[in-house]
Amino acid sequence: MVNTKLQTYIKENYVNVSALSRSMGVTRQSLNAKVIGKVNFTQDDLMLLKEHLHLSDDVFMSLFFDREGRKQSTSEAL
């Protein structure tokens, strides 16, 4: 399932997806597959995203977890 919250965040914050994927050590195609839900994010992926996007804990939680703290579909690999 597509993580539309993450897609929106990336677009609204003018994130350079190519630079982000390089900084995470993955290809742009690999990162895109994770964002659109074809491949699950790993814990390492999530921590790298949090670090490289400078996400606060609240923003990170809103992008990957619902209000009750349950993982959203793209982060089930946790």
Side-chain angles (χ1 to χ4, degrees):
M1 180 177 292
V2 176
N3 186 331
T4 55
K5 289 181 183 180
L6 180 59
Q7 281 183 322
T8 300
Y9 181 89
I10 288 171
K11 286 178 186 174
E12 289 178 352
N13 290 280
Y14 307 105
V15 173
N16 181 321
V17 178
S18 294
L20 176 61
S21 64
R22 280 192 305 273
S23 71
M24 292 177 61
V26 299
T27 64
R28 179 181 166 90
Q29 293 83 358
S30 175
L31 179 58
N32 187 56
K34 292 174 184 198
V35 171
I36 65 171
K38 288 186 176 184
V39 177
N40 285 329
F41 284 99
T42 65
Q43 284 181 320
D44 288 341
D45 293 331
L46 294 175
M47 297 317 298
L48 286 170
L49 279 173
K50 185 177 188 302
E51 178 184 331
H52 292 282
L53 294 176
H54 308 287
L55 302 175
S56 68
D57 291 341
D58 289 338
V59 172
F60 176 78
M61 292 297 287
S62 73
L63 291 174
F64 293 100
F65 296 86
D66 68 13
R67 291 185 163 258
E68 286 76 40
R70 292 184 302 248
K71 291 174 258 173
Q72 293 183 18
S73 63
T74 59
S75 59
E76 288 176 345
L78 291 175

